Each structure stands twice: as C-alpha cells, then as structure tokens.
Amino acid sequence: MAVAGVIAEYNPFHRGHAWQLEELRRRLGENTAVVACMSGSFVQRGDFAIALKHARAEMALLGGVDLVLELPAPWSAAGAERFAQGAAAVLEATGVVTHLAFGCECGTLEPLRSAADCLDGPSYPDALRRVLAGGGSFAAARQTAVRELAGAAADCLSRPNDILAVEYLRALKALGSGIIPLALPRVGAGHDSGEESDVPSASAIREKILTGGDWRRGLPETSAAILSREMEAGRAPVVWRRCERAILARLRSMGEEELRPYDGGREGLYHRFYAAIRRETDVEGILAAVKTKRYPLARLRRMLLQAYLGVPQAGQGETPPYLRVLGAGSRGRALLGRMREAAALPVLVKPAQVRRLGGEARRVFEQEARCTGLYVLGCPDLGQARPDSEYAGRPVMAPGAPLYKESDAV
C-alpha cells in the first residue's frame, strides 16, 4: 500500500491541490493514503495563516487527505531550504510514507534533480562566491552559478514551486531517505498571481477573502463551508494587521543586536531593519524602507515575523523533534496505529501528551504554544484569542472519511 506525503505548503483553499490529490491516487492507486505536512499558524510567505490550523486540517480531511501533521513555526515561517528541511523530515519520521508528492511548474523530476545535484556539488560554492562578488541578490547569483555548471536546469531556480521542489529533493538526500519523490505539474494561475482562473492562486483567493470579494467560487465547496463557519464565529480571517501595534511594540523594544538572530543571511540586514524601525510608523513602512533588489519582500516579511514571535528560523540540519497530529480520517487513524511502531519521533495526538516529553521536544512545543497565543490576536473577535489555545485545541477526527478495504487494515 502506497502512502503519499504532500507538502508544498499544502493549502486546503487551493483547487490545484485537490487536483494533485486526484492525480497522485491515479498514479499510485485509489487506495493510496495521503499524509499532509501543513504549516501551523504561520506560512512561508512570512504571514499569518488565514484560518486556525485545526479548521484548515478539517478542510484538508474533507478534501481527501487522510492524516494532517503540523510543521512548526521555525520551519513553516522560514525560507525554502529550511521549510523543505523540516517538512521532509516530518514525513520521513512517520516511518510509513513511501512517496513525497509536490506540485511544480516544470512537472518533471529530471531538471529538478540536476539543479539539486548541482547545488550540493563540489563546484557550486566557488561558482557562487565568484558571482556574488559582482553584486546583486543571492537568488539571482545562485541561478547564475547553477547555469554555469548545469545549463538549463537553472531555470528551475526562477519559479517558486520549482524552487521548493529542488529543496525537497535536497532534503530527502540529506536525510538519506528512501521516500520516492513524485513531481506533479502545477495547474491553474501562477504562484502569487492575481489573474482570473478556474483554479486561482492561493494569493488571489486570500486577497478576495480580505477585501470582501467573491472568494467562494475559488475554493472547494467543503473548504468554503468551513471558512464561512469560522468567519461567523469570529475566528477568521486571521490577519497580521490586527496585531500591528503589538508587532511595533515588540520591534521598538528591541536593541540592534537583538535583531541579529533573525538575519538568516548573516549579511547585516538587521542594521537596515533597526534603522527602519527607529524611523517608520507602521509595518508596511518598515518593509518598504528595508526593501532593495537584493532582498525579496518575502524574506523581509519572514524576518519581521520571526522577530515579532521571538523565534528565528530553524538552523541548518535542524528538524522538528515530534510529530503533531492536527487531524485524521479513518485511514489516517489506521496510519497512526502503524506509526506507534514505525515512527522515529514522539507522536502527539493530544496536547496533554507534551507533559511526558522532555528536552528539545518540550521546548519546541512550548515555543509553538507561545507563538499560537500571539497568532490568535489576529482573530476578528478578540474573545476567540485564548492565550492557551494551543493546549485547548484537539485534533479533528473527520466523520465520513472513506474506509480502507478490509485487506488494507492495519
């Protein structure tokens, strides 16, 4: 029985991800179980997730996912390399995932492998240093260096989903994983595109939700119903702007050296941030003051978010120390039974189980709980912003999820 893991910042709002689930089951078999590694409260673009994690897990389950695991903030609100490093490690640690499926613009593994192998090859560091010496952004320099060494494979490093796919391959290799990568073509509007489409981008849907547009047409029906419920309850949409004064208070209380841990590139960017914080009156002004051609806006948003949370992105080689269950259907519960024996990390189904953890696992969970307490301040109804919401939440066990055939039971 195949068990496919999906990451690519799995988004239950996106119809393209629903298509990917159908396609991977067409390729691997209709009884393929799907494990989604989903960002928790914060997403890779450096923003608040628009709905609470358990509501999004419920959407995923009703959309065809069998088991939803959380990617904690040090990895979910990080750059592509650290995001992939954490998500691939979560799926590997389950001990049951056989394939890793992801959407990408190129739709095939060959150029992705070539780019990944080049980035990990012995000639790349010298080529990158030579190109960086000429100025420009790191992303542009990396692509130029790979083009010199691997030709057209460098095109993968100019497209956002391809970039993530390359990092997934690198992460699997670094883990020594036997998980088989499965590249699926991305369908619908381009990443961060506002173009009209039957399969709009997640960014376009998000914009319509925030501006009162017709967002329901772009979502799967079950996801739209859950989001409507969350809106009526005052739990969605969750947006950082409601926390702007809290963010500014945190930033203004920080000294210049206190910003250094959030400068992932170690290029002195924190000096620019500190100067902007001392001069600008709002978050958008700070980001605009810091932005240059060298620093993409997503990176700046992540750095600002990490400083607000007090949580730098994960370091090189660091991986989540536990497997947090956000939701499971009947097939997912069967997988949890297998994971009791196969998983390489503690599996947390109920928050109370964290009390039995020690060391790094407990530290990371308590850190996540603190981050969630800051996240829920972005809810429309402040009465929904419980400071203990991480401990109060329970995994979603979706009713009506399809059962395995008797022969597939574990």
Side-chain angles (χ1 to χ4, degrees), residues 82 260-267 269 299 303 306 313:
R82 301 295 192 267
R260 184 197 289 266
Y262 310 103
D263 185 357
R266 304 294 188 263
E267 298 172 310
L269 178 57
R299 176 180 172 186
M303 183 172 171
Q306 291 159 10
Q313 74 171 9

Side-chain angles (χ1 to χ4, degrees), residues 347-398:
V347 179
L348 301 183
V349 178
K350 298 179 181 179
Q353 291 174 301
V354 74
R355 297 189 181 95
R356 297 201 294 268
L357 299 180
E360 184 68 2
R362 184 158 188 167
R363 183 192 70 80
V364 171
F365 188 92
E366 290 176 347
Q367 174 182 268
E368 190 70 19
R370 183 171 56 80
C371 289
T372 300
L374 297 174
Y375 162 82
V376 293
L377 293 174
C379 290
D381 178 4
L382 199 57
Q384 301 292 334
R386 291 179 54 168
D388 65 344
S389 56
E390 191 69 57
Y391 291 94
R394 294 292 183 269
V396 179
M397 296 300 175

Side-chain angles (χ1 to χ4, degrees), residues 159-221:
R159 300 182 291 255
N161 290 279
D162 281 352
I163 290 171
L164 268 174
V166 167
E167 295 301 339
Y168 298 150
L169 297 179
R170 297 180 69 198
L172 289 178
K173 182 179 179 181
L175 290 167
S177 175
I179 292 176
I180 301 167
L182 180 61
L184 303 173
R186 192 180 189 280
V187 299
H191 180 81
D192 272 351
S193 167
E195 66 183 273
E196 290 296 325
S197 169
D198 290 337
V199 186
S201 71
S203 296
I205 295 170
R206 181 185 183 91
E207 184 64 21
K208 288 184 177 181
I209 291 170
L210 297 180
T211 58
D214 182 14
W215 51 266
R216 289 173 177 80
R217 188 176 65 85
L219 270 65
E221 186 175 337

Side-chain angles (χ1 to χ4, degrees), residues 138-153:
F138 174 82
R142 184 170 82 149
Q143 187 177 5
T144 298
V146 172
R147 190 172 301 281
E148 289 180 3
L149 299 170

Side-chain angles (χ1 to χ4, degrees), residues 118-132 145 149:
C118 181
L119 290 170
D120 289 328
S123 302
Y124 170 72
D126 287 341
L128 178 64
R129 279 192 289 269
R130 185 173 65 254
V131 177
L132 279 173
L149 299 170

Side-chain angles (χ1 to χ4, degrees), residues 96-131:
V96 299
V97 171
T98 60
H99 294 72
L100 190 159
F102 47 80
C104 54
E105 288 88 353
C106 70
T108 183
L109 278 175
E110 286 71 19
L112 302 172
R113 285 193 189 280
S114 295
D117 289 344
C118 181
L119 290 170
D120 289 328
S123 302
Y124 170 72
D126 287 341
L128 178 64
R129 279 192 289 269
R130 185 173 65 254
V131 177

Side-chain angles (χ1 to χ4, degrees), residues 232-246:
E232 290 172 5
R235 293 189 292 266
V238 185
V239 293
W240 68 264
R241 289 186 183 279
R242 295 194 183 94
C243 302
E244 185 161 23
R245 290 177 185 266

